[in-house]
Amino acid sequence: MSEFEDKCSWAHSNLDAVRGGLRRFLEDNHQDATRLSDVASTFRAAGGSGDVGQVTVSNGLLVLATVPTSLSGVALLSYLSTATEADVKALATMPGWQQTLQGLDASKIGTWWAGMNTGAHPVADESGFTQVQELLLATAPAMFGALDGMPALARVRANQLNAPSLLRAAEKNLETARKLSGIGQAHHDPNRTKMLQNEVAYLKQVEAGDVQLYLYDRGRSRIVEMIGTPGPDTRHVITYVPGTFTGMNIFYEGGVQQVANYLSSQVSGTVAFVYKDGRLPGEEDTAGGPNLGRIGEANDENLARTSGQQLARFETGMRTDPYLNGAEQTGIGHSWGLANVTSSEVAGARYDKVVSLAGAGMLPDWKPQPTTEYSNLYYYDLLVHGQGIPNLITNKGVVWDGNNPIHRDEFEQHYYRGPHDDQLGAINTVEEGNILMENHNLIASTNNDNEKALEDMLEIVTR
């Protein structure tokens, strides 16, 4: 070769280029083989055995099987709207399409789901979903159960279908925790075992349809429970956000659902969402209980701001539901939950009413909305006591620099005496602290001692 090049100056060889070209040829060949294997897997998943003659699938499915990222979001929605039962069953084997859906605006998802061709796809059962809709929910229940823009009942159904898988994982975690406890592991937290027991019991209720989950991801401490059933008669929608230290376990035990349950049962046409999307201030990482060392997070403006943005996204997605978007919207926040609600206003969310239950405070750039009614219900509690302590640097209240609902004229004030207030000032500091903490939690409960406050909440929501 070199002698030939010497005699012919116009001729030149490059073995490196040849090797590179051959390598690319082999790689392309391998990719083609992989794609053909994917196509065969698609046919098998749809009911065939890899033989093209045994099953009919759409061109769109073949595109998803070979080049899943080539379909735009609009094209994917169009394909899914007319997919056959075989197509939907085959989707379970394919990557990529779920990520495409998750990247779409909530409004597009809502329009797509509502516009499914019910004539071509008969209703599956009393749920009202078409057969293909039900198959889609079963194909990717975790994804659809967390997809903004999906109607509330569809998300609840998806999370119900996902419950058996979640339950198996929780039971496995519980088995491990019990083994660690049995051999006396020094770092084992018995509270975690209790939390897992409660989670198993809770997920069994979800599986049975007795608890409705709009969102669930225990690993990321995300849970939204829906109370009530959206329908043509829905007139009130409540977003209830609990306060500092709220972990997953208190959801399992039913502790933070009390006010939402009460209002939903008393006001016809009410749907309530008990909301917790991510770790709340002071939430303990492993057992879902309080971590007193992180109490300062309840006063963190950055956390409130990012949490408010997330809540605003939830509100946008939830209100794409045709049964919910025309209803009166009320945001209720207990303790730090009020900071979450008002921070969502900063991020663009709008409510007809905002109700503070011993609310913590607001971002410095928060402004009351002219069409929103604001109310503050509270006892003399630890938070009020803390608000009276000045910050030595700013000379304002140590809690949210004094920007609290009890100090803002925009909030209609409702003050109540606690059952043990007469003892305050006459007992030791520890006992007083316990009473003040009891008062702080009392406002968010259905305890008989909180009856007057509950009646006022009911009047506020219905007026």
Side-chain angles (χ1 to χ4, degrees), residues 20 77 114 163 304 332 423-424 455 461:
L77 293 180
I332 301 178
Q423 301 177 45
L424 295 175
E455 291 174 353
V461 170

Side-chain angles (χ1 to χ4, degrees), residues 212 225-230 257-258 260-261 264-265 270-274:
Q212 302 180 104
E225 183 177 325
M226 184 177 80
I227 299 169
T229 304
Q257 296 95 323
Q258 295 180 63
N261 273 319
S264 297
S265 67
T270 297
V271 174
F273 295 90
V274 185

Side-chain angles (χ1 to χ4, degrees), residues 8 15 20 22 34 70 100 152 156 207 224 228 254 325 340 366 386 431 462:
C8 303
L15 291 179
L22 180 60
T34 300
S70 67
T100 300
V156 167
E207 185 178 32
V224 178
N325 62 9
N340 198 183
W366 173 81
E431 291 175 322
T462 56

Side-chain angles (χ1 to χ4, degrees), residues 221-244:
S221 203
R222 306 180 74 199
I223 181 170
V224 178
E225 183 177 325
M226 184 177 80
I227 299 169
T229 304
D233 63 341
T234 299
R235 297 183 295 116
H236 302 280
V237 175
I238 295 171
T239 301
Y240 180 93
V241 187
T244 311

Side-chain angles (χ1 to χ4, degrees), residues 59-375:
N59 290 335
L61 187 65
L62 295 179
V63 173
L64 282 172
T66 54
V67 278
T69 59
S70 67
L71 276 184
S72 67
V74 173
L76 176 60
L77 293 180
S78 177
Y79 157 68
L80 292 175
S81 295
T82 57
T84 66
E85 181 178 344
D87 288 343
V88 176
K89 288 181 178 178
L91 283 174
T93 67
M94 298 179 193
W97 67 276
Q98 295 185 33
Q99 288 78 5
T100 300
L101 281 188
Q102 290 168 327
L104 294 175
D105 290 340
S107 60
K108 290 183 178 179
I109 296 295
T111 300
W112 159 68
W113 189 264
M116 283 284 207
N117 189 342
T118 56
H121 303 307
V123 172
D125 52 33
E126 68 277 1
S127 68
F129 302 130
T130 68
Q131 186 177 39
V132 169
Q133 284 176 326
E134 182 76 10
L135 286 169
L136 281 169
L137 296 179
T139 295
M143 187 272 292
F144 282 115
L147 185 60
D148 283 341
M150 291 289 289
L153 290 174
R155 287 183 63 157
V156 167
R157 176 60 177 156
N159 284 307
Q160 183 183 20
L161 292 170
N162 197 38
S165 175
L166 296 170
L167 186 56
R168 287 192 296 272
E171 287 173 335
K172 185 176 181 179
N173 291 157
L174 177 58
E175 181 182 0
T176 300
R178 283 172 170 164
K179 287 180 180 178
L180 291 174
S181 178
I183 61 177
Q185 285 284 337
H187 299 293
H188 172 67
D189 184 353
N191 291 326
R192 178 167 173 77
T193 302
K194 180 61 177 175
M195 182 189 75
L196 290 168
Q197 289 174 337
N198 291 337
E199 182 185 22
V200 167
Y202 185 80
L203 290 174
K204 286 181 178 178
Q205 294 181 73
V206 174
E207 185 178 32
D210 298 327
V211 168
Q212 302 180 104
L213 284 178
Y214 184 86
L215 174 68
Y216 191 78
D217 184 347
R218 190 239 293 166
R220 298 168 62 191
S221 203
R222 306 180 74 199
I223 181 170
V224 178
E225 183 177 325
M226 184 177 80
I227 299 169
T229 304
D233 63 341
T234 299
R235 297 183 295 116
H236 302 280
V237 175
I238 295 171
T239 301
Y240 180 93
V241 187
T244 311
F245 301 132
T246 298
M248 299 294 283
N249 191 50
I250 195 169
F251 270 86
Y252 304 150
E253 294 177 332
V256 292
Q257 296 95 323
Q258 295 180 63
V259 168
N261 273 319
Y262 170 79
L263 293 174
S264 297
S265 67
Q266 296 295 314
V267 185
S268 62
T270 297
V271 174
F273 295 90
V274 185
Y275 171 96
K276 172 179 144 54
D277 197 346
R279 298 198 184 281
L280 267 60
E283 179 184 351
E284 204 277 326
D285 290 335
T286 59
N291 183 336
L292 295 177
R294 290 172 48 204
I295 183 64
E297 294 173 350
N299 223 25
D300 186 327
E301 288 186 10
N302 290 330
L303 176 62
R305 197 173 298 278
T306 56
S307 299
Q309 292 166 353
Q310 182 63 28
L311 177 53
R313 286 191 288 271
F314 161 82
E315 293 292 333
T316 298
M318 178 265 287
R319 296 181 197 183
T320 61
D321 189 314
Y323 288 144
L324 304 176
N325 62 9
E328 183 179 74
Q329 304 289 334
T330 299
I332 301 178
H334 173 229
S335 188
W336 179 86
L338 187 275
N340 198 183
V341 170
T342 53
S343 295
S344 76
E345 290 184 286
V346 174
R350 294 294 177 262
Y351 305 90
D352 296 293
K353 296 165 183 173
V354 168
V355 180
S356 161
L357 302 182
M362 295 82 75
L363 290 170
D365 49 333
W366 173 81
K367 293 181 176 60
Q369 298 303 310
T371 59
T372 303
E373 296 180 20
Y374 295 91
S375 304

Side-chain angles (χ1 to χ4, degrees), residues 6-65:
D6 290 340
K7 292 179 180 180
C8 303
S9 59
W10 48 267
H12 179 69
S13 67
N14 187 335
L15 291 179
D16 288 338
V18 172
R19 283 193 292 268
L22 180 60
R23 183 172 58 253
R24 286 193 296 275
F25 170 79
L26 293 174
E27 289 174 351
D28 290 343
N29 192 50
H30 176 73
Q31 290 176 2
D32 288 342
T34 300
R35 287 171 180 169
L36 287 172
S37 176
D38 289 340
V39 172
S41 297
T42 296
F43 291 141
R44 283 193 292 272
S49 60
D51 183 350
V52 177
Q54 295 187 30
V55 65
T56 300
V57 292
S58 67
N59 290 335
L61 187 65
L62 295 179
V63 173
L64 282 172

